[in-house]
């Protein structure tokens, strides 16, 4: 019996939770701040590109680093400056899978600090998910594939390692 009227103890079996799986996902996302198909919109633009503006994103996920390669989903959420001393964002994004197959309409949620100019691989936590990725936990490795300092457009390579049921 629960000690609170608003809670109840549940068994994993009753929730149809089985053995955990570990899935590795690999793709690229395109953060487009300039050009004909902008996918990242500053919430408080002050004129020219300003990395201090919090930004909403609806970025394409593709199998290859080229924007015209096969789209498998979207990265939807927001990011903003998290540090006064270095270039780091706090990000809250959902990887939304749209391609036909077992992951369609599932999501992986990532929340954390991203030091975007750091060399090499940057790691952030997976904090949840939906659909196939319900009860998800894990980590994401981000690596900048390309970045245009004039437009702010960038391509990021993503490896997601996610535990789920």
């Amino acid at each position: 019996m629960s000690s609170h009227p608003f809670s109840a103890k549940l068994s994993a079996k009753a929730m149809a939770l089985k053995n955990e799986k570990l899935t590795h996902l690999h793709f690229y996302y395109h953060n487009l701040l300039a050009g004909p198909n902008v996918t990242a919109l500053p919430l408080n633009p002050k004129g020219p590109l300003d990395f201090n503006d919090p930004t909403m994103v609806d970025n394409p996920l593709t199998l290859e680093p080229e924007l015209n390669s096969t789209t498998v989903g979207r990265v939807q959420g927001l990011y903003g400056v998290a540090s006064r001393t270095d270039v780091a964002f706090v990000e809250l994004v959902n990887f939304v899978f749209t391609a036909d197959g077992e992951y369609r309409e599932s999501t992986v949620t990532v929340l954390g600090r991203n030091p975007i100019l750091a060399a090499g691989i940057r790691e952030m936590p997976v904090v949840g998910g939906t659909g196939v990725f319900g009860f998800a936990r894990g980590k994401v490795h981000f690596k900048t594939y390309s970045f245009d300092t004039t437009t702010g457009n960038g391509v990021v390579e993503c490896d997601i390692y996610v535990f789920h049921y």
Side-chain angles (χ1 to χ4, degrees):
M1 186 79 192
S2 173
S3 62
H4 299 284
F6 56 82
S7 67
K9 303 254 186 249
L10 299 174
S11 73
K13 187 175 180 179
M15 295 291 294
L17 299 177
K18 300 175 184 164
N19 294 329
E20 264 188 318
K21 300 172 193 165
L22 174 61
T23 299
H24 173 222
L25 304 164
H26 178 84
F27 33 69
Y28 298 82
Y29 79 79
H30 304 262
N31 194 54
L32 306 174
L33 287 160
N37 297 308
V38 170
T39 63
L41 235 51
L43 296 178
N44 187 26
K46 300 174 190 102
L49 180 63
D50 183 348
F51 289 109
N52 291 313
D53 290 334
T55 302
M56 294 295 301
V57 299
D58 184 13
N59 297 331
L61 281 176
T62 61
L63 289 179
E64 302 296 331
E66 296 76 28
L67 184 56
N68 63 354
S69 72
T70 303
T71 300
V72 296
R74 312 288 299 176
V75 177
Q76 298 173 332
L78 60 100
Y79 62 82
V81 173
S83 175
R84 294 183 339 174
T85 58
D86 61 344
V87 182
F89 290 159
V90 62
E91 295 185 14
L92 170 55
V93 293
N94 290 298
F95 288 81
V96 181
F97 301 100
T98 58
D100 289 338
E102 69 177 302
Y103 304 131
R104 184 173 177 79
E105 298 182 5
S106 295
T107 66
V108 171
T109 302
V110 175
L111 170 64
R113 183 180 186 273
N114 185 356
I116 62 167
L117 297 181
I121 294 172
R122 306 177 308 272
E123 185 174 288
M124 291 179 61
V126 169
V127 298
T130 63
V132 170
F133 299 112
F135 293 98
R137 62 185 175 86
K139 63 183 179 178
V140 178
H141 286 167
F142 290 130
K143 184 176 181 183
T144 301
Y145 180 83
S146 65
F147 180 72
D148 183 321
T149 57
T150 303
T151 65
N153 291 349
V155 178
V156 177
E157 185 174 8
C158 302
D159 284 287
I160 298 179
Y161 304 91
V162 60
F163 286 97
H164 59 98
Y165 291 96

